[in-house]
Amino acid sequence: MKPANSRIKTMDRVLGADVAKASVVLFDPVSGRTLSVPNQAAALIEALSPFASYELMVCEATGGYERAVLAAATALGLPAHRADPAKAKNYIRSHGGAAKTDPIDARWLSRYGQERGAGLPLWAPPDQDRDALASLMRHRQSLVVVRAEAKNRRAGPAPEALRSLLEAEIAFLEDHIARLDRTVGELIGDNPDLAQAEARLRCIPGIGPVAARTLLALLPELGRLNRRQVASLAGLAPHPRDSGQASRRRFTGRSGRSGLREILFMAALSAARAHPQLKTFAQRLIDAGKPKRLVFTAVARKLLVIANAVSKPAALQLT
């Protein structure tokens, strides 16, 4: 991403919120006061009420434990930003921050919001069905990883006692994954918007039910971004690493939302056989002597760009 040319606008009244499972530590930069609040809806609304007129509240994504404080801020009309933990950590490191406690983290989050708040996206309550879909598909991905590990151990030199246990584990995981797939299918079937979005994606040769549902779950921005933005989010954009006279090879995958690249690679393998244009494109790269990994990365990116295009509203597709 190129550095912005616009002048950075700062904020003064930005509440920092460091979230843990049981409590939330708040830092008020105006008074310099820090307070700890139980991570419960009623307690958070009471604690945040005096700060309802502030410009912003910043917290980090902490595996879902931040939802209560974000909901409380929304109920009070307090704008909030859910920061990417990696970005917040890099910001703290850039200022030499080394000590780590909950009150210190809350101070850093407040400062992060003061300096960058004007350019940070505000948090909005997610669609409940999409939120549930994302949770289900991420759980499915974790089960698939465990199943693959069990299959690899079964294929190795294992004693018969262990092999029988692995067979039972694999059967259990496959049954659980099948139940998950049925639950996801019912969820999408009961939501006309999700059902229509899935049908659009399934019309693309190479994109099956797992790929379509993963894109809907983990890339809700699909159809609202341009091709470069969507490729970057999926970790399929080759970022430059040039410096001085050195022009280095560009790599993908250094960033991007987890869980997308793997699914898109599998879809690319299928699309390179089933999609007429992508099949020709892949063969042209192979004939040019390109490495297989580069070929399927390029196919995956083109496949994602097609998925992004078909996911746009009809009015946008005509422009």
Side-chain angles (χ1 to χ4, degrees):
M1 181 181 293
K2 296 180 180 178
N5 293 323
S6 57
R7 186 177 179 181
I8 297 175
K9 298 178 182 179
T10 59
M11 295 181 174
D12 296 320
R13 299 181 301 158
V14 177
L15 191 69
D18 185 73
V19 180
K21 181 178 180 180
S23 63
V24 177
V25 175
L26 304 174
F27 173 71
D28 174 20
V30 177
S31 65
R33 193 164 57 98
T34 301
L35 64 151
S36 181
V37 185
N39 194 356
Q40 300 169 0
L44 287 167
I45 288 178
E46 181 180 354
L48 291 177
S49 294
F51 309 108
S53 62
Y54 274 31
E55 297 166 281
L56 187 67
M57 182 195 76
V58 177
C59 69
E60 283 183 328
T62 54
Y65 293 120
E66 75 282 359
R67 291 179 182 177
V69 71
L70 288 169
T74 300
L76 294 169
L78 170 62
H81 169 70
R82 183 172 61 180
D84 181 335
K87 290 183 179 180
K89 186 179 295 184
N90 289 336
Y91 170 81
I92 295 170
R93 285 176 178 170
S94 72
H95 286 279
K100 179 175 174 56
T101 64
D102 291 348
I104 290 174
D105 286 347
R107 284 175 174 266
W108 277 118
L109 288 171
S110 174
R111 182 173 172 180
Y112 177 75
Q114 289 176 57
E115 291 189 12
R116 304 189 179 184
L120 296 175
L122 297 181
W123 184 83
D127 177 87
Q128 289 188 353
D129 283 347
R130 280 192 178 268
D131 200 32
L133 178 62
S135 297
L136 289 168
M137 292 306 294
R138 287 217 178 270
H139 184 51
R140 186 189 192 282
Q141 287 185 335
S142 66
L143 292 179
V144 169
V145 170
V146 176
R147 183 182 63 182
E149 292 173 349
K151 286 184 175 181
N152 288 337
R153 287 195 296 272
R154 182 187 61 180
E160 191 58 37
L162 176 58
R163 193 177 299 277
S164 63
L165 289 173
L166 289 171
E167 292 284 358
E169 180 182 358
I170 292 167
F172 167 79
L173 290 168
E174 288 180 342
D175 177 66
H176 202 61
I177 290 170
R179 289 170 57 192
L180 260 175
D181 287 340
R182 289 193 295 271
T183 301
V184 169
E186 293 169 0
L187 174 66
I188 292 176
D190 291 339
N191 186 309
D193 291 337
L194 286 175
Q196 184 181 29
E198 183 189 27
R200 286 182 181 180
L201 293 173
R202 291 290 306 278
C203 288
I204 304 170
I207 293 187
V210 175
R213 293 169 180 180
T214 301
L215 287 172
L216 291 176
L218 307 186
L219 196 58
E221 301 91 344
L222 198 68
R224 301 200 302 271
L225 303 174
N226 63 41
R227 58 189 179 88
R228 293 183 180 85
Q229 291 171 325
V230 76
S232 181
L233 268 182
L236 293 173
H239 297 290
R241 302 186 303 130
D242 303 340
S243 179
Q245 296 183 355
S247 181
R248 301 183 181 92
R249 184 179 175 184
R250 300 183 178 190
F251 290 95
T252 62
R254 292 184 178 273
S255 60
R257 202 163 290 169
S258 64
L260 285 172
R261 272 174 59 90
E262 298 82 359
I263 291 295
L264 286 167
F265 264 81
M266 295 302 296
L269 291 171
S270 178
R273 296 188 298 267
H275 195 292
Q277 288 78 26
L278 293 181
K279 181 178 181 179
T280 302
F281 172 70
Q283 191 59 50
R284 188 168 69 246
L285 293 178
I286 292 171
D287 292 342
K290 301 297 183 182
K292 285 288 183 70
R293 184 170 183 82
L294 185 150
V295 171
F296 289 112
T297 299
V299 172
R301 176 170 177 165
K302 280 191 172 290
L303 186 63
L304 179 61
V305 169
I306 294 170
N308 189 55
V310 303
S311 299
K312 290 181 181 292
L316 292 179
Q317 292 183 35
L318 297 175
T319 59

